[in-house]
Amino acid sequence: MVAERRERLSQGAPLAAKVRIFWKKQSNASKNRYLCNKQRTPMTAEDKLKIEEKVVELLRTVFDPEIPVDIYSLGLIYKIDVKDDGDLDIDMTLTAPNCPAADFIVEDARLKLETIDGIKNVNINIVFEPEWTKDMMSEEAKLELGFL
């Protein structure tokens, strides 16, 4: 059957036949990719810990353009959750609900976090509960901003 299709293609078969064969090849590849992903072993606790450490390291490179301190030290990160399937969920807040740099901060964090090996998807949720206060900042951030 495959040889028959190849012969028709070489003889200038209609475009519909070419498309069907291409789709069939693609669908088989998708099935193989799906099976490979499905057979992959889940992340171990050690793998998750390494990824979380890398997440924190990268979040320390994301700065609010109005404040010379990274978002992790400011206490804007509430939750880091690495799931077995490679999804990363981050709950973060902003120093003010009407922060003009919110889009910039979230997109900068997302782009950096997507580079981590083992991470398939990055979901950053902006939350305002609990409300951010200066007490959530690290000692270094307080010192940098002159609160100590």
Side-chain angles (χ1 to χ4, degrees), residues 5-25:
R5 285 185 183 159
R6 284 188 187 150
E7 186 178 324
R8 280 192 305 180
L9 283 176
S10 66
Q11 295 173 356
L15 182 60
K18 292 178 186 177
V19 171
R20 250 184 270 127
I21 291 171
F22 175 74
W23 178 82
K24 188 164 183 70
K25 286 180 183 175

Side-chain angles (χ1 to χ4, degrees), residues 6-7 12 26 29 31-32 34 49 58 64-65 68 73-74 82 86 92 107-108 142 145 148:
R6 284 188 187 150
E7 186 178 324
Q26 290 298 316
K31 286 178 187 174
N32 290 341
Y34 174 75
L49 183 61
L58 288 176
D64 183 328
S73 297
L74 279 172
V82 180
M92 68 171 287
E107 194 58 27
D108 189 25
K142 289 178 184 176
L145 296 173
L148 285 181

Side-chain angles (χ1 to χ4, degrees), residues 35-100:
L35 290 174
C36 290
N37 287 341
K38 193 168 184 159
Q39 293 170 354
R40 185 174 43 163
T41 57
M43 279 190 209
T44 64
E46 186 177 315
D47 293 337
K48 287 183 178 184
L49 183 61
K50 285 180 184 177
I51 289 175
E52 285 178 12
E53 289 171 353
K54 185 67 176 171
V55 167
V56 170
E57 180 184 324
L58 288 176
L59 288 174
R60 288 186 180 275
T61 66
V62 178
F63 289 84
D64 183 328
E66 300 172 333
I67 305 170
V69 178
D70 65 86
I71 62 173
Y72 190 82
S73 297
L74 279 172
L76 299 180
I77 305 300
Y78 288 166
K79 181 181 87 171
I80 299 172
D81 184 23
V82 180
K83 298 195 168 127
D84 287 338
D85 62 357
D87 286 350
L88 172 64
D89 291 332
I90 304 278
D91 282 356
M92 68 171 287
T93 192
L94 303 167
T95 54
N98 58 350
C99 176

